[in-house]
Amino acid sequence: MFESVKAVVNRVKSMTGLDSDGVPLMNQAFSVQNPRLVLGGAGTTTERNMQAGYRELFVGAVQAIRNTSAHEPLGVMEVNEAFELLGLASLLMRLLDGAAPSS
């Protein structure tokens, strides 16, 4: 799980050129006011809400999975939970596939 979210973090760094890491990186990359990457537009209230919501998913994955497992092992995990966490990392990567650099 650690490696899958680490890959997401590294891809965001590569796509944005930002030097920050972890939660600060995600907040800066997916900011609603001044995003480096736009996830589905930023013009309407709905698009800004999507940007903010997806930013929280990226932040949550970093904070709950990558950061905690970097400091201590996640421990034994049920197979279904492992697949669900991999699914989350896959979703984040798919969102990055469609992300547009801000203009």
Side-chain angles (χ1 to χ4, degrees), residues 67-103:
N67 287 1
T68 56
S69 60
H71 298 287
E72 55 186 74
L74 286 175
V76 177
M77 179 181 297
E78 295 291 326
V79 172
N80 286 342
E81 184 180 5
F83 281 128
E84 289 164 353
L85 291 176
L86 288 173
L88 173 59
S90 177
L91 169 66
L92 298 177
M93 287 294 207
R94 188 170 53 79
L95 289 169
L96 292 173
D97 289 344
S102 63
S103 48

Side-chain angles (χ1 to χ4, degrees), residues 32-44:
V32 174
Q33 286 75 28
N34 188 24
R36 293 292 186 101
L37 295 172
V38 178
L39 301 168
T44 68

